Amino acid sequence: MNQPASAYFIEERHDPNETHTLSVLVQNEPGVLARVIGLFSGRGYNIESLTVSETESQKHLSRITIVTTGTPMVIEQIKHQLDRMIPVYRVVDMTLTKRSIERELAMVKVRGQGEHRVEALRLADAFRARVIDATTESFVFEITGNTEKINQFIDLMRPLGLVEVSRTGVAAIGRGPEGM
Amino acid sequence: MSDKSHDPNQMTGAAMIVRALIDHGVTDIFGYPGGAVLPIYDEIFQQSEVQHILVRHEQGAGHAAEGYARSTGRPGVALVTSGPGATNMVTPLTDALMDSIPLVCISGQVPTHLIGNDAFQECDTVGITRPCTKHNWLVRDVNDLAKVLHEAFYVATTGRPGPVLVDVPKDVQFATGTYHPPRKSDVHRSYAPRVKGDATQIRKAVALLAGAKRPVIYSGGGVINSGPEATRLLRELVEVTGFPITSTLMGLGAYPASGKSWLGMLGMHGTYEANMTMHDCDVMLCVGARFDDRITGRVDAFSPGSKKIHIDIDPSSINKNIRVDVPIIGDCGNILGDILQVFKAEAKKPDIKAWWQQIAQWRARNSLYYRKSNDVILPQHAIQSLFEATRGRDTYITTEVGQHQMWAAQFYGFEEPHRWMTSGGLGTMGYGLPAAVGVQVAHPDSLVIDIAGDASVQMTMQEMSTAVQYELPIKIFILNNQYMGMVRQWQQLLHGNRLSHSYSEAMPDFVKLAEAYGGVGIQVHKPGDLDGAIQEMISVKRPVLFDCRVASLENCFPMIPSGKAHNEMLLPEQANDEATAKAFAGGKALV
């Protein structure tokens, strides 16, 4: 091919990515979650985890917890873009407050017999996971904790007969007496 | 009959829509009927307070409403049916979102019981328009309709203005419910745009301005959106500080082009002096603009030595593309007023004589130079002639998108805001003709000219029929070079002159086309005939297609090759093959 290619400048940016947890208080109305998700996909932002549920039914308020990654400038953009949506009341960057607690719940199904089964139960005990379903050849464990702890537990279960996992995604709340 | 039948606020959904329009002071709407809006059209038929302009395509209704909005400062209203009516609105809604134009679109929807059934002319209108509106609503209960309509107008016109859409199923239009006039509680409590600027930030800004040696004011469409007071204050600030001022494409007219501090437009096709001033300044005051890529060029080389103050009502505009030192969130009219007050009380006009001398040297490069010809009309010359012929008149200019748009921005001098309607952010070819329709509806006695290109104008040509029907004497001034000029220019400069599909081999006869629509056609080839033909165009009180045959291969300069910095402009007198090749050497920008 001797046809000159259309070579283009590509500005590369090497700002390091950060992971932030955002709490977003929204009016619970039709389409509000689609707006939030559409913003992320439309503008090319990342969603690592998303948790949403109505938290104050009288006032029709829902709380969305989003774990996202991006450069500091992108994270700032995400917050502003969320905040300017009409049904959004507040956006709080839980990571910046440095005073937040983050928890996730996972249900982990493990299948096995003999020594594997005993080992799984022993580890579950060490992680304070509860058995919420059992058969002669399987367990379902319920485990709560931060993302890292759950990842670690799942990794340990893998060689012991891990079948499947269902996770809620991260929920976050600030420490101390103040609300968001 | 119950007592409720005598309650004047009991009415059908369709009647509520017309009533809400009246309550919001709407006198003209643009639309196209269809099955899912027939009840609303029936209401429109039975009243005379709201005039309906029938367009020929829903996209035309949207752009006409945009033109109406931008030339008046009031929201534009469009009414379309479900399905294709709504999807045809996507382009104008996106256009209005990018350029912050207040637009209220009411769309019909299939009856609620059919939603989700793939009914005839059904589409997920709120889903499709969610990313291209500031907000949208699907109204499922007639008793919510009044509240939603009032909120829609409020959201469209406050904060950073933008388009909104209210989707109303046909059964809701027929159903009877209770209407109420606009009230504060109609609006989401979560929506409260910040208007007043932070006092500490304003003091910081004034301190920077007062200490500036090489300042520049860079203003944008936000100043015009904020209203006449912001324009007045901007002009006063320029006067009080003696600072040079440049503006984005969207901001033209906020400061008069004849003003002594005016540098011309900045950005990709801005003047050399404007871009060099931006590059070398030590303090930049950005008012109601958003550091768009067409303005900044290469971001890591954008005005490297300056402290930047950014006034914007939208917090998401701050630090999006360019990191600024003093962000001030709020309405720019408000903040300019505060800055002026503090400046006048505490600061002196800085001595920037040396800076103006430097600017004079850049000006002397005459970056808008072009070679005139006696044989062929140069497009720049055509716009200058049009400007001279309309100077001092009550004139509104719209444009399409491409070379002609940039030449219009460079060579037509705007003295007042709201006189210049162009698709800046989205770059919508086909915007100008329907926008001119909207402007002319708002200003029936003014001279409304669409400076057009031969390719763009064919995208929405059908609206000539609207202009003829409503006796709107719009002038479509076509710079006809038979090419998609800007595409051809980029192909020449960036793609080895391989002119892939940028030439229109089958051009309509615009004179005959005008006549076929019932308008007037004028064609001019020779520079010597241009002025006379323009006079003829102006004096005709009917829609005119003006086919101005111009040099076909003229390029639009000066130009910052995209991906380059402000001080790497390509000037017209340097734009020989070698210099052009050099300017674009080492790669080509993505955007």
Side-chain angles (χ1 to χ4, degrees):
Chain A
M1 293 279 282
N2 61 359
Q3 176 177 310
S6 305
Y8 284 88
F9 293 121
I10 295 175
E11 278 186 53
E12 289 190 40
R13 298 194 176 178
H14 297 289
D15 289 347
N17 274 352
E18 295 178 357
T19 299
H20 284 237
T21 304
L22 309 179
S23 285
V24 188
L25 199 62
V26 300
Q27 189 75 37
N28 185 16
E29 60 183 28
V32 66
L33 187 59
R35 281 179 212 284
V36 170
I37 293 171
L39 172 76
F40 276 75
S41 63
R43 292 186 182 264
Y45 306 144
N46 298 314
I47 297 180
E48 302 278 310
S49 153
L50 179 114
T51 309
V52 53
S53 182
E54 189 167 74
T55 49
E56 287 184 59
S57 60
Q58 294 262 299
K59 293 184 191 164
H60 300 290
L61 293 181
S62 284
R63 184 160 168 150
I64 302 176
T65 309
I66 305 169
V67 180
T68 182
T69 57
T71 62
M73 218 154 151
V74 168
I75 302 272
E76 194 183 327
Q77 261 299 296
I78 293 173
K79 287 185 273 183
H80 287 315
Q81 292 288 356
L82 284 169
D83 207 16
R84 75 173 180 156
M85 294 187 139
I86 310 296
V88 170
Y89 281 88
R90 275 202 79 187
V91 180
V92 175
D93 188 334
M94 303 305 273
T95 305
L96 281 191
T97 65
K98 292 192 173 126
R99 284 173 52 78
S100 76
I101 307 165
E102 296 182 11
R103 287 293 179 270
E104 214 183 327
L105 183 145
M107 289 182 279
V108 181
K109 186 178 285 183
V110 180
R111 179 180 193 160
Q113 282 170 339
E115 201 46 45
H116 279 177
R117 194 171 153 81
V118 177
E119 181 62 16
L121 209 54
R122 205 176 294 146
L123 283 166
D125 193 42
F127 275 77
R128 291 185 198 163
R130 291 200 303 141
V131 177
I132 53 174
D133 180 72
T135 68
T136 53
E137 52 173 344
S138 71
F139 286 121
V140 175
F141 296 114
E142 175 198 309
I143 177 167
T144 311
N146 60 29
T147 303
E148 210 174 302
K149 172 181 167 186
I150 290 172
N151 287 345
Q152 209 182 348
F153 182 71
I154 292 167
D155 283 345
L156 288 169
M157 288 301 122
R158 196 160 281 127
L160 302 178
L162 181 73
V163 177
E164 63 178 352
V165 180
S166 176
R167 296 171 74 150
T168 58
V170 173
I173 201 160
R175 290 181 189 275
E178 310 298 329
M180 86 175 258
Chain B
M1 294 284 272
S2 71
D3 281 339
K4 281 202 161 183
S5 66
H6 301 296
D7 180 349
N9 285 329
Q10 286 293 306
M11 62 182 85
T12 65
M16 283 185 197
I17 289 170
V18 175
R19 176 75 181 276
L21 294 177
I22 295 166
D23 281 354
H24 287 277
V26 175
T27 52
D28 307 277
I29 66 172
F30 303 87
Y32 203 103
V37 280
L38 283 175
I40 305 171
Y41 272 86
D42 204 24
E43 288 295 328
I44 289 173
F45 187 83
Q46 299 175 55
Q47 55 85 50
S48 55
E49 283 174 86
V50 178
Q51 185 197 196
H52 176 273
I53 307 293
L54 174 67
V55 294
R56 297 300 181 266
H57 184 288
E58 288 87 353
Q59 185 190 354
H63 292 320
E66 283 188 90
Y68 188 94
R70 296 195 54 185
S71 66
T72 59
R74 301 200 306 268
V77 180
L79 173 59
V80 298
T81 193
S82 63
T87 57
N88 282 340
M89 274 302 295
V90 167
T91 300
L93 289 170
T94 312
D95 192 276
L97 186 70
M98 292 286 269
D99 286 347
S100 310
I101 309 299
L103 201 66
V104 177
C105 176
I106 294 161
S107 58
Q109 181 56 278
V110 300
T112 42
H113 70 274
L114 285 180
I115 289 178
N117 276 20
D118 298 326
F120 177 65
Q121 293 196 327
E122 182 193 353
C123 72
D124 177 9
T125 302
V126 286
I128 291 169
T129 60
R130 202 174 281 131
C132 60
T133 51
K134 185 173 171 185
H135 197 67
N136 62 13
W137 297 259
L138 168 64
V139 183
R140 288 171 172 274
D141 180 346
V142 69
N143 288 309
D144 294 336
L145 187 56
K147 172 183 156 63
V148 167
L149 289 167
H150 300 324
E151 183 177 24
F153 273 91
Y154 186 80
V155 168
T157 52
T158 52
R160 180 176 179 175
V164 298
L165 178 139
V166 182
D167 200 26
V168 190
K170 195 171 180 179
D171 55 328
V172 176
Q173 298 169 32
F174 274 128
T176 300
T178 309
Y179 178 83
H180 65 260
R183 58 189 183 203
K184 189 102 185 69
S185 60
D186 291 331
V187 182
H188 273 82
R189 283 191 299 113
S190 48
Y191 177 70
R194 180 157 183 184
V195 178
K196 190 94 180 114
D198 180 81
T200 325
Q201 295 292 88
I202 286 166
R203 289 195 171 274
K204 277 191 203 163
V206 171
L208 279 176
L209 294 173
K213 298 272 180 290
R214 304 186 307 279
V216 66
I217 298 173
Y218 145 48
S219 81
V223 177
I224 295 170
N225 271 337
S226 174
E229 183 65 2
T231 300
R232 190 188 69 70
L233 290 164
L234 178 73
R235 293 175 179 201
E236 191 183 340
L237 184 70
V238 174
E239 188 62 39
V240 167
T241 58
F243 289 176
I245 175 167
T246 178
S247 143
T248 65
L249 183 71
M250 301 302 296
L252 296 177
Y255 185 81
S258 61
K260 66 177 181 355
S261 301
W262 178 239
L263 301 178
M265 182 176 75
L266 82 161
M268 184 173 272
H269 292 290
T271 64
Y272 184 67
E273 53 270 33
N275 286 326
M276 290 303 288
T277 303
M278 290 287 283
H279 186 269
D280 285 4
C281 68
D282 65 350
V283 174
M284 176 188 299
L285 174 64
C286 169
V287 194
R290 59 183 176 89
F291 296 96
D292 166 86
D293 59 73
R294 284 295 181 271
I295 294 302
T296 59
R298 201 173 131 190
V299 289
D300 59 4
F302 175 75
S303 194
S306 63
K307 293 274 183 206
K308 298 173 187 73
I309 305 161
H310 187 185
I311 303 173
D312 205 299
I313 198 158
D314 179 358
S316 75
S317 288
I318 310 278
N319 291 340
K320 183 167 65 178
N321 303 323
I322 298 291
R323 194 156 273 290
V324 297
D325 302 281
V326 184
I328 313 176
I329 294 159
D331 172 63
C332 58
N334 231 304
I335 294 167
L336 283 172
D338 291 347
I339 287 182
L340 259 169
Q341 202 182 9
V342 179
F343 190 94
K344 283 198 273 195
E346 299 174 11
K348 277 209 310 266
K349 196 170 182 165
D351 177 12
I352 55 164
K353 222 172 281 158
W355 182 228
W356 273 112
Q357 280 164 3
Q358 171 63 68
I359 291 169
Q361 284 177 22
W362 289 325
R363 264 191 183 143
R365 296 289 291 271
N366 194 16
S367 62
L368 296 181
Y369 170 80
Y370 63 94
R371 245 176 260 104
K372 271 192 196 166
S373 159
N374 291 325
D375 305 321
V376 59
I377 300 171
L378 271 299
Q380 301 94 324
H381 171 64
I383 290 174
Q384 274 187 317
S385 302
L386 182 70
F387 175 50
E388 291 305 330
T390 56
R391 194 190 274 245
R393 276 174 176 270
D394 174 22
T395 310
Y396 292 83
I397 301 289
T398 72
T399 75
E400 311 290 337
V401 169
Q403 284 184 323
H404 67 274
Q405 177 191 28
M406 292 297 108
W407 281 317
Q410 291 172 338
F411 291 94
Y412 200 99
F414 293 93
E415 296 295 304
E416 295 297 331
H418 300 295
R419 298 281 168 160
W420 164 246
M421 270 54 62
T422 195
S423 172
L426 192 63
T428 310
M429 292 171 71
Y431 168 86
L433 199 161
V437 166
V439 175
Q440 190 82 74
V441 167
H443 310 276
D445 300 322
S446 305
L447 178 60
V448 181
I449 303 171
D450 170 28
I451 297 177
D454 52 271
S456 286
V457 78
Q458 291 188 69
M459 286 199 175
T460 49
M461 179 56 84
Q462 75 283 349
E463 301 307 332
M464 270 299 278
S465 188
T466 308
V468 170
Q469 177 175 342
Y470 293 94
E471 298 177 8
L472 304 168
I474 56 172
K475 316 295 186 228
I476 313 302
F477 189 80
I478 305 169
L479 298 177
N480 184 349
N481 58 10
Q482 303 222 16
Y483 280 100
M484 285 145 235
M486 194 60 96
V487 172
R488 186 202 54 71
Q489 176 169 343
W490 279 54
Q491 288 173 336
Q492 183 195 334
L493 299 176
L494 293 148
H495 293 268
N497 206 31
R498 292 181 294 278
L499 305 186
S500 183
H501 301 277
S502 53
Y503 180 69
S504 308
E505 280 192 28
M507 191 62 69
D509 180 332
F510 285 114
V511 174
K512 280 190 186 155
L513 189 57
E515 286 162 3
Y517 276 117
V520 176
I522 299 172
Q523 191 179 61
V524 56
H525 294 265
K526 295 274 164 235
D529 300 336
L530 184 59
D531 288 337
I534 289 174
Q535 283 309 328
E536 186 191 344
M537 174 187 84
I538 293 171
S539 60
V540 174
K541 296 292 172 240
R542 286 161 62 197
V544 177
L545 284 185
F546 188 99
D547 183 10
C548 186
R549 296 302 181 100
V550 297
S552 59
L553 297 176
E554 188 67 6
N555 282 339
C556 185
F557 287 117
M559 179 176 184
I560 303 175
S562 71
K564 297 258 174 162
H566 277 175
N567 59 351
E568 298 175 284
M569 275 205 111
L570 191 59
L571 294 178
E573 78 271 18
Q574 307 167 331
N576 54 39
D577 291 349
E578 199 190 327
T580 306
K582 200 166 154 242
F584 289 92
K588 297 137 195 178
L590 272 177
V591 284

